[in-house]
């Protein structure tokens, strides 16, 4: 049963990493290259769509890692799992304090109501998102190493 938990947790975290990596390095670059207001509208829609799903994904991943750490406490690799859990906790804290406030504003913006500094706010979100992606990649790598 522990093996199934380890694999499911690693896959769920890995897919989350893939989605967030894609947002950072694919989707946002596509949005930025779109003409006129299309990019801002795309970011707003993405913020609404992913903003509804990602809290459950991040918290769910953290819970799965915590269960893995407790269930496998006396097994090899537990230190890696605990460290991965700490990194996922950091990603949740970063999200709540740094990224979600910007996302909550941005997902309501239209070309008619967006603030003058909307691009600067999106750039700030992007910079923090790059850091968060690095943190969750590190957590995923630790989970993968713990499987070995």
């Amino acid at each position: 049963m522990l093996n199934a938990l380890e694999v499911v947790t690693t896959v769920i975290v890995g897919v989350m990493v893939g989605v967030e990596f894609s947002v950072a390095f694919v989707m946002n670059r596509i949005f930025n290259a779109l003409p006129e207001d299309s990019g801002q509208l795309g970011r707003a829609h993405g913020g609404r769509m992913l903003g509804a799903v990602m809290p459950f994904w991040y918290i769910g991943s953290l819970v799965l890692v915590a269960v893995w750490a407790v269930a496998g406490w006396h097994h090899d690799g537990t230190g890696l799992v605990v460290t991965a859990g700490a990194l996922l906790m950091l990603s949740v804290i970063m999200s709540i304090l740094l990224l979600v406030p910007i996302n909550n504003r941005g997902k309501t913006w239209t070309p008619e109501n967006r603030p003058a500094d909307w691009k600067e706010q999106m750039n700030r979100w992007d910079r923090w998102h790059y850091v968060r992606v690095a943190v969750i990649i590190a957590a995923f790598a630790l989970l993968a190493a713990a499987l070995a």
Side-chain angles (χ1 to χ4, degrees), residues 8 10 23 26 36 38 41 47 50-51 62 75-76 78 84 93 101 103-105 113 116 135 137:
V8 167
T10 304
V23 167
V26 178
E36 300 174 15
S38 299
L41 293 169
L50 290 173
L62 182 58
H75 292 84
D76 291 338
T78 302
I93 292 168
N103 188 64
N104 283 344
R105 290 189 301 271
N113 73 359
V135 168
I137 287 172

Side-chain angles (χ1 to χ4, degrees), residues 2 44 50 60 83 96 99 105 138 142 144:
L2 180 59
L50 290 173
T83 305
I96 292 168
L99 290 127
R105 290 189 301 271
L142 291 170

Side-chain angles (χ1 to χ4, degrees), residues 36-52:
E36 300 174 15
D37 296 322
S38 299
Q40 186 264 309
L41 293 169
R43 278 181 171 263
H45 180 67
R48 288 187 298 274
M49 190 177 83
L50 290 173

Side-chain angles (χ1 to χ4, degrees), residues 67-132:
V67 171
W68 176 357
V70 170
W73 190 252
H74 296 294
H75 292 84
D76 291 338
T78 302
L80 297 172
V81 176
V82 170
T83 305
L87 289 172
L88 289 175
M89 177 61 79
L90 174 62
S91 74
V92 168
I93 292 168
M94 287 178 62
S95 297
I96 292 168
L97 296 178
L98 303 169
L99 290 127
V100 169
I102 298 170
N103 188 64
N104 283 344
R105 290 189 301 271
K107 69 185 183 182
T108 65
W109 293 339
T110 66
E112 294 78 30
N113 73 359
R114 66 186 179 211
D117 70 340
W118 74 273
K119 285 185 181 180
E120 290 82 13
Q121 290 189 52
M122 289 295 95
N123 287 335
R124 188 175 324 117
W125 188 93
D126 288 344
R127 287 190 304 272
W128 284 118
H129 185 64
Y130 293 141
V131 174
R132 179 173 64 179

